Amino acid sequence: MSTTIATRDTFLGSKVAYQVYIRSFQDSDGDGVGDLPGITRRLDYLADLGVDYLWITPFFPSPQRDNGYDVSDYRAIEPNYGTMADFEELSREAAARGIGLMLDMVFNHTSTEHAWFRRALAGDPTYLAYYKFVDAAPDATAANPGEPPTNWESKFGGSAWEYVPTLNKWYLHLFDVTQADLNWDNPQVRAELADVLRFWRSKGVSAFRFDVVNLISKPATWENDYEGDGRRFYSDGPHIHEYLRELVREGGIDGMMTVGEMSSTTLESCIGYTNPANHELGMAFSFHHLKVDYLGGDKWALQDPDIPRLRDILRTWQEAMAAGDGWNALFWSNHDQPRPNSRFGDTERHWYESSTLLPTCTHLLRGTPYIYQGEELGQTITDFTSIDQYRDVESLNYYRILQERGLSADEAFAVVHARSRDDGRTPMAWDGSAHGGFTTGEPWLELTGNYPMVNAEAEMADEHSVRAYFQELIRLRKRLPVIQSGGVRFLDAPSDAVIAYDRTLGDERLVVQCNFSGDEQPALAVGGGERLIGNYDEPCGRETLRPWEAVAYLCRGE
């Protein structure tokens, strides 16, 4: 192992990041929306949990069509979230507690309200070149614009192209119609975005997360996709590695904690993105393991999680990334995913075990773990009963689309209820008071109804809580080099419901076993070693795994 790779493994392998979805974390002024002063107020809670970095979702000016992922100004603060002075205070206070701030940079697209796009709409050729505009047919009209440049689909439903009659051009939007894709082939755009990074570094930011960053490089020619929705033409595009290296170099972020969200990516690409020799990104989020309950690969078609497939995906990515000197971001949950304990476990009968099984599985793997707000409390998906309770643009679009495909309103609602991004966006429950202590006003999104029992105050008073279990996992990672930088190997489990692996470093071997079912399963034989952590209070012997049980043994000198 080279010195560069060993240094990377020790640095990133010892860290734990925590994601704050700012709208739902803590409201400080009673308007029902979380804000920057609210995050500052809760820094002691995060320091006590033991996290090293705080990833905050976008708080830049935005029309909030996609809850902040539609940025209209990269160098300012959305007034609903506070002021620049509030951010600077947060930066100082976080640093005083040893917590680095990770900003969420949305560089694939801007809001159509961004000044760049408005100047493009006014016909300014400089800013037309900032986006992916394509000429329409000479006889196109608003009433009859003709066919778009390609048949690609937006990830939020419908065409990925929008016609602008005043320009007689189409612009590309891989997401919402108000999120226009930037033209990364334009060096002026790349220079602008590198300068944004330098701006926030000057404010004390020490880490960056890049939203859907593997989509930034588009093909040189526009082709219809007759096999899919178009993503194969723009995911991990032709100049992606070149553009990332330039951004890292010009933004001055080489060696910093960075992570890229990779949409529909490949393993080979992610090895390239995260191998230290390439000077691109520190680690990658990939989502293949979170599609094992997609029937036929369709997010909006339900099936039970396929645990053998989940095991194969984790095995492939862990072992291949290690072999190629890449690095994984380890996660089950974020602001775009339903709560994982409800999704992969049984929160009705085994809430505690389901809520601790999942982090045991990932926190002991090779990579850097990410905790999504409320995950450490065992927060569950919503108990909404009406589509009117949802706010997410994707969910509302697909509620309509699913009915257009032939589902009844009840059937469409059942799918949305299981898949909605709002399942993970309900406000953080701080205590058992009204609105869970999140706000003194009316929350922008309703809390899940079990918050009087599942909240931070209650769990901090309980030394056997889900939160206490997360704290122990964090302490183990910081203490044990075998977790930080040990090798990884998946083991052949005696049951399709069990995922097992080991980590090795020198004469130490860590063996982890996780039962992803509500039935007892046979366990792998582990000779000797101490029981390092487990989510049942009392061991029941080493031959059986109880429902949703996770256990790890540390063996030395074998």
Side-chain angles (χ1 to χ4, degrees):
M1 182 183 292
S2 72
T3 301
T4 299
I5 292 167
T7 301
R8 185 276 311 271
D9 289 9
T10 301
F11 170 59
L12 294 182
S14 65
K15 307 304 181 188
V16 177
Y18 186 98
Q19 182 191 357
V20 160
Y21 188 66
I22 187 169
R23 291 182 66 85
S24 297
F25 190 63
Q26 177 67 72
D27 172 25
S28 70
D29 58 9
D31 66 355
V33 176
D35 47 40
L36 292 169
I39 299 173
T40 303
R41 174 181 162 189
R42 298 297 184 178
L43 285 173
D44 287 339
Y45 169 88
L46 297 170
D48 179 70
L49 184 61
V51 300
D52 302 285
Y53 285 91
L54 188 58
W55 159 22
I56 309 172
T57 55
F59 48 77
F60 315 111
S62 165
Q64 300 295 317
R65 175 68 178 173
D66 189 22
N67 285 3
Y69 284 86
D70 46 334
V71 177
S72 58
D73 186 342
Y74 288 114
R75 295 177 177 85
I77 307 293
E78 167 64 37
N80 285 339
Y81 296 146
T83 65
M84 189 61 77
D86 291 329
F87 176 80
E88 290 166 348
E89 180 185 15
L90 170 60
S91 181
R92 288 192 300 270
E93 292 297 324
R97 292 163 176 80
I99 297 174
L101 295 186
M102 173 183 281
L103 264 59
D104 200 334
M105 310 313 296
V106 190
F107 282 175
N108 177 70
H109 47 263
T110 73
S111 167
T112 52
E113 294 190 13
H114 196 290
W116 299 342
F117 193 81
R118 290 185 170 184
R119 294 181 71 169
L121 289 183
D124 187 326
T126 296
Y127 290 94
L128 281 168
Y130 271 42
Y131 296 89
K132 287 294 188 179
F133 279 97
V134 177
D135 290 337
D139 58 350
T141 64
N144 185 20
E147 292 296 317
T150 69
N151 64 352
W152 299 356
E153 296 176 15
S154 161
K155 293 178 181 292
F156 289 172
S159 174
W161 296 93
E162 180 71 5
Y163 178 65
V164 182
T166 56
L167 298 173
N168 197 35
K169 296 179 185 291
W170 301 85
Y171 69 85
L172 180 67
H173 62 92
L174 295 181
F175 294 87
D176 189 69
V177 67
T178 64
Q179 294 168 295
D181 278 52
L182 286 163
N183 177 17
W184 274 72
D185 297 323
N186 183 343
Q188 289 180 266
V189 169
R190 303 198 301 272
E192 292 263 22
L193 298 176
D195 189 61
V196 170
L197 297 182
R198 293 192 294 270
F199 174 85
W200 287 108
R201 284 181 55 224
S202 74
K203 298 288 184 181
V205 173
S206 57
F208 292 96
R209 182 259 189 189
F210 295 98
D211 186 63
V212 294
V213 72
N214 68 316
L215 309 185
I216 60 176
S217 177
K218 308 304 192 293
T221 58
W222 304 110
E223 298 180 54
N224 282 327
D225 189 349
Y226 298 109
E227 301 175 15
D229 59 9
R231 69 184 63 191
R232 65 191 180 99
F233 289 115
Y234 56 75
S235 300
D236 303 316
H239 300 287
I240 180 64
H241 295 286
E242 169 192 339
Y243 292 163
L244 280 177
R245 285 192 292 271
E246 179 182 316
L247 181 69
V248 166
R249 182 181 67 251
E250 298 303 317
I253 62 172
D254 196 14
M256 290 175 60
M257 173 94 155
T258 57
V259 58
E261 180 193 28
M262 305 301 174
S263 174
S264 302
T265 190
T266 66
L267 175 56
E268 294 74 21
S269 293
C270 286
I271 291 172
Y273 296 139
T274 62
N275 186 311
N278 294 339
H279 299 279
E280 295 181 25
L281 297 174
M283 69 195 83
F285 285 117
S286 63
F287 297 88
H288 299 75
H289 66 298
L290 294 179
K291 299 178 181 179
V292 297
D293 55 355
Y294 290 11
L295 182 61
D298 182 358
K299 172 179 177 177
W300 302 98
L302 307 181
Q303 70 172 26
D304 290 336
D306 184 339
I307 302 306
R309 182 164 173 251
L310 174 63
R311 182 195 307 111
D312 288 345
I313 292 169
L314 293 177
R315 180 202 301 264
T316 298
W317 278 77
Q318 279 283 302
E319 294 180 355
M321 288 285 269
D325 295 326
W327 196 258
N328 285 297
L330 307 171
F331 73 107
W332 293 106
S333 184
N334 62 31
H335 62 288
D336 286 334
Q337 300 291 332
R339 291 289 182 180
N341 54 354
S342 297
R343 181 177 178 183
F344 291 95
D346 178 358
T347 52
E348 295 296 322
R349 292 175 295 180
H350 294 278
W351 167 75
Y352 176 85
E353 292 79 14
S354 299
S355 301
T356 49
L357 164 85
L358 292 160
T360 307
C361 183
T362 49
H363 277 245
L364 301 179
L365 283 170
R366 178 181 180 275
T368 301
Y370 283 71
I371 300 167
Y372 176 63
Q373 64 179 54
E375 184 182 3
E376 80 280 12
L377 305 178
Q379 285 192 214
T380 59
I381 66 169
T382 71
D383 47 8
F384 293 170
T385 57
S386 167
I387 195 65
D388 295 333
Q389 293 171 279
Y390 289 89
R391 300 290 177 266
D392 173 38
V393 59
E394 180 189 43
S395 301
L396 298 176
N397 283 350
Y398 270 91
Y399 180 68
R400 170 183 52 80
I401 290 168
L402 290 170
Q403 291 179 77
E404 292 172 352
R405 293 177 181 175
L407 272 63
S408 69
D410 287 346
E411 290 170 333
F413 181 81
V415 175
V416 169
H417 183 258
R419 291 285 191 256
S420 176
R421 299 188 300 178
D422 281 347
D423 282 339
R425 296 178 178 185
T426 53
M428 182 79 168
W430 293 103
D431 56 44
S433 66
H435 307 313
F438 164 68
T439 182
T440 57
E442 191 67 25
W444 76 276
L445 184 67
E446 296 176 42
L447 277 74
T448 302
N450 59 12
Y451 76 84
M453 291 75 69
V454 182
N455 64 71
E457 182 179 72
E459 298 211 19
M460 291 180 75
D462 180 1
E463 63 181 12
H464 299 294
S465 66
V466 174
R467 184 180 185 274
Y469 194 91
F470 269 80
Q471 282 182 305
E472 181 59 18
L473 285 169
I474 293 170
R475 282 193 289 266
L476 289 173
R477 175 165 286 270
K478 293 183 182 303
R479 179 165 64 88
L480 297 177
V482 68
I483 299 176
Q484 298 168 12
S485 55
V488 61
R489 177 187 59 161
F490 275 65
L491 306 173
D492 292 331
S495 165
D496 283 346
V498 174
I499 295 177
Y501 60 88
D502 67 13
R503 307 287 311 282
T504 55
L505 185 68
D507 65 350
E508 288 192 332
R509 180 180 183 231
L510 177 69
V511 182
V512 183
Q513 302 187 61
C514 302
N515 176 11
F516 280 77
S517 81
D519 300 315
E520 287 192 353
Q521 302 292 342
L524 283 172
V526 180
E530 65 175 298
R531 184 176 183 268
L532 190 65
I533 191 170
N535 63 353
Y536 276 78
D537 287 341
E538 296 297 328
C540 72
R542 298 194 178 200
E543 297 180 355
T544 303
L545 293 171
R546 288 160 289 189
W548 313 105
E549 182 169 11
V551 63
Y553 297 96
L554 184 62
C555 310
R556 292 184 171 93
E558 296 185 6

